[in-house]
Amino acid sequence: MNFLFIENSCPLFGHQISGGGLRSTYLIKSLAQIGKVDVITFAYSDEKSNIDNCEVIFSKIIANDGYIGQRNRKNKFRSLLTPWIPETVQIVSLEKEQIIDKIANSAEYDFIVSRFFEDTIMCGLSKYANRLILDIDDDPKHKILLYAKRESSIFKRIFTILYAYANDISVKTLSRRCSLVFYSNKTQRTSRIAKYLPNIYCSDSIVPLCDYKQTKYNLLFVGNLVYYPNIIGIGHFINCIFPKIKQTIPEVQLNIIGNGIDEAHLVNWSKIPGINIKGYVDDIIQEYRNCRAVVVPIYHGAGTAIKVLEAMSYNRPCISSPYGVRGYDHIFVPGEDYLLGQDADSFAFNVIALLQSEELNHTISRNAFKKVKEHLSFEAFDKIVKDSLLEKKSTIDNIDRK
């Protein structure tokens, strides 16, 4: 089989800076074990593949044409009136579409693979629906509803909510036409043909269980600080939960890892004793080695939180809000694989418990590590991709023979 993989948003291979980039790379790796993969990327210039049977044939940063804010009023309302036509809901980039069309028509590709609904429409790929593999990953409706919370006027808020549901209709319409659809959250299936493909996190590095003789009362938060739910979540933790922990453990430290924090938050949070904003770090593994527990105070967003899997893969226990483990609640059990912070008091109580009890820390870490290896390994991810594609190819071949 021959695949043309389109990446519009995330750097790939050795340049992963987000969960999206990781998922794209894992998907390419799986596809390359089935057939030849050609990659077009608009997210990184001079991208080079480090995966066998995969070649980057076009690599150049081309800016997105925009989403809601850059539409005129006529097109905005048209998207609400005709949501079953995806091209009225999202903007198509003619430049990207022309590049893809030229390459797609110059070779025999069995499947064209795209990540994210918005990027699929932006790149003009709906015309290839009969051989399109769409990995939705983050649900557009939930992503857009985040913007509604931030709108300054009631009118804009109502429009954005309506636009979110128009996107939902478009996603389901396109999903029914696609050859194959993957989604990452079990509760967000978009069509009968859609296959659940969980997000995973893989690392060759081994981090031993926390040694309380070698570590201090260190907590860790890892996340992209440009992403609004991360800023809101860690802000809530700093303002409402961290002071409660300090009352019991005055020497507690919170290390915050991630790019993109704005100047106002950097200045304000850096003034608080025990808060260390490190930004980007060269050795994330060492940060996990130095901490006793990882906090995941996420209260809204889209998709699933890779930060939970990353912590579990490095043998560090998580204390998470209910929303932070969304998409994994059929796998991980609170009290066994992680500790749940339903509110500020219970969140602080469970953080204190993990900071003080090495036995509890190790028990939670072992349980979570085992679950990740059993259910969320690359082997499990790869099997879903291969089985789904081989089943689809068999169906197509049977139709052709008839």
Side-chain angles (χ1 to χ4, degrees):
M1 278 187 270
N2 294 318
F3 302 95
L4 179 61
F5 190 98
I6 314 298
E7 180 56 64
N8 186 56
S9 297
C10 305
L12 304 167
F13 311 118
H15 309 291
Q16 298 103 322
I17 56 173
S18 67
L22 286 172
R23 185 176 173 93
S24 291
T25 302
Y26 295 145
L27 186 52
I28 291 171
K29 185 177 178 181
S30 287
L31 296 174
Q33 295 179 23
I34 303 171
K36 176 71 166 61
V37 182
D38 290 340
V39 175
I40 296 174
T41 175
F42 302 117
Y44 196 87
S45 294
D46 300 320
E47 187 82 82
K48 304 295 182 186
S49 171
N50 57 8
I51 297 173
D52 292 339
N53 215 25
C54 171
E55 179 184 0
V56 179
I57 59 174
F58 183 92
S59 177
K60 180 183 176 182
I61 295 176
I62 298 178
N64 291 336
D65 288 350
Y67 293 96
I68 303 172
Q70 291 175 271
R71 288 174 164 272
N72 61 42
R73 184 173 297 177
K74 179 181 177 181
N75 284 337
K76 285 182 179 181
F77 283 103
R78 186 183 171 201
S79 69
L80 302 185
L81 296 174
T82 57
W84 57 88
I85 304 174
E87 289 78 9
T88 66
V89 176
Q90 294 290 344
I91 296 172
V92 177
S93 167
L94 294 179
E95 182 181 6
K96 294 177 182 178
E97 182 181 31
Q98 289 169 0
I99 291 169
I100 293 168
D101 287 348
K102 183 177 179 180
I103 294 173
N105 294 323
S106 66
E108 292 291 330
Y109 292 107
D110 296 288
F111 295 102
I112 295 174
V113 186
S114 178
R115 294 254 296 119
F116 304 115
F117 166 75
E118 306 95 311
D119 290 356
T120 298
I121 301 306
M122 184 177 291
C123 292
L125 298 178
S126 64
K127 67 171 76 72
Y128 301 109
N130 65 330
R131 53 175 169 150
L132 182 64
I133 298 173
L134 171 59
D135 181 28
I136 293 176
D137 195 0
D138 293 348
D139 177 42
K141 180 181 74 175
H142 288 87
K143 283 197 290 187
I144 295 169
L145 286 174
L146 289 178
Y147 292 103
K149 298 175 183 292
R150 304 168 65 183
E151 293 291 2
S152 57
S153 71
I154 294 177
F155 174 80
K156 289 181 178 179
R157 195 170 300 138
I158 292 172
F159 169 77
T160 305
I161 292 171
L162 293 174
Y163 182 72
Y165 283 92
N167 266 262
D168 192 47
I169 293 172
S170 288
V171 169
K172 290 175 179 175
T173 301
L174 180 61
S175 294
R176 287 192 290 268
R177 294 167 50 203
C178 286
S179 184
L180 184 61
V181 177
F182 292 119
Y183 62 104
S184 64
N185 189 321
K186 249 188 178 327
T187 65
Q188 297 174 358
R189 190 177 187 186
T190 57
S191 72
R192 287 186 295 104
I193 68 165
K195 305 283 188 180
Y196 171 60
L197 183 65
N199 275 318
I200 61 172
Y201 182 85
C202 304
S203 175
D204 296 328
S205 300
I206 304 297
V207 178
L209 292 168
C210 185
D211 184 349
Y212 276 43
K213 294 179 181 178
Q214 302 295 324
T215 58
K216 300 178 181 179
Y217 293 108
N218 290 339
L219 296 171
L220 183 65
F221 174 85
V222 179
N224 186 339
L225 298 175
V226 174
Y227 188 46
Y228 180 69
N230 285 343
I231 283 288
I232 294 298
I234 194 60
H236 174 74
F237 182 86
I238 290 171
N239 294 323
C240 301
I241 301 172
F242 193 68
K244 297 177 183 293
I245 300 169
K246 283 186 73 70
Q247 288 176 4
T248 301
I249 308 175
E251 60 269 46
V252 64
Q253 299 285 312
L254 171 65
N255 295 321
I256 300 175
I257 310 297
N259 290 326
I261 189 168
D262 61 79
E263 187 67 23
H265 285 108
L266 177 63
V267 171
N268 291 334
W269 291 345
S270 296
K271 294 177 181 177
I272 301 173
I275 302 296
N276 308 306
I277 302 174
K278 295 191 172 184
Y280 173 81
V281 296
D282 291 323
D283 189 357
I284 188 67
I285 308 298
Q286 191 58 45
E287 296 298 329
Y288 279 101
R289 289 179 184 275
N290 292 339
C291 79
R292 290 189 180 181
V294 175
V295 296
V296 187
I298 303 301
Y299 299 94
H300 49 79
T304 51
I306 293 294
K307 53 178 69 66
V308 171
L309 301 186
E310 183 177 87
M312 292 175 171
S313 298
Y314 291 135
N315 267 317
R316 289 302 179 268
C318 286
I319 311 94
S320 176
S321 60
Y323 206 88
V325 290
R326 69 198 183 282
Y328 301 121
D329 42 10
H330 63 292
I331 297 175
F332 300 124
V333 179
E336 295 181 11
D337 308 309
Y338 71 99
L339 296 187
L340 185 63
Q342 289 278 11
D343 52 33
D345 287 335
S346 63
F347 208 122
F349 178 86
N350 284 326
V351 169
I352 292 167
L354 284 175
L355 288 175
Q356 292 181 332
S357 173
E358 187 172 21
E359 181 181 0
L360 176 63
N361 189 300
H362 288 184
T363 298
I364 297 292
S365 297
R366 286 194 191 97
N367 293 343
F369 184 85
K370 183 180 179 182
K371 289 275 186 76
V372 168
K373 295 304 178 185
E374 287 179 355
H375 302 284
L376 298 166
S377 64
F378 176 75
E379 288 73 23
F381 181 96
D382 184 52
K383 186 178 188 304
I384 295 171
V385 174
K386 287 179 178 176
D387 288 353
S388 300
L389 275 167
L390 292 175
E391 178 186 345
K392 187 64 186 178
K393 190 68 165 61
S394 176
T395 302
I396 293 172
D397 290 344
N398 288 335
I399 292 173
D400 290 344
R401 280 195 290 271
K402 292 178 181 179

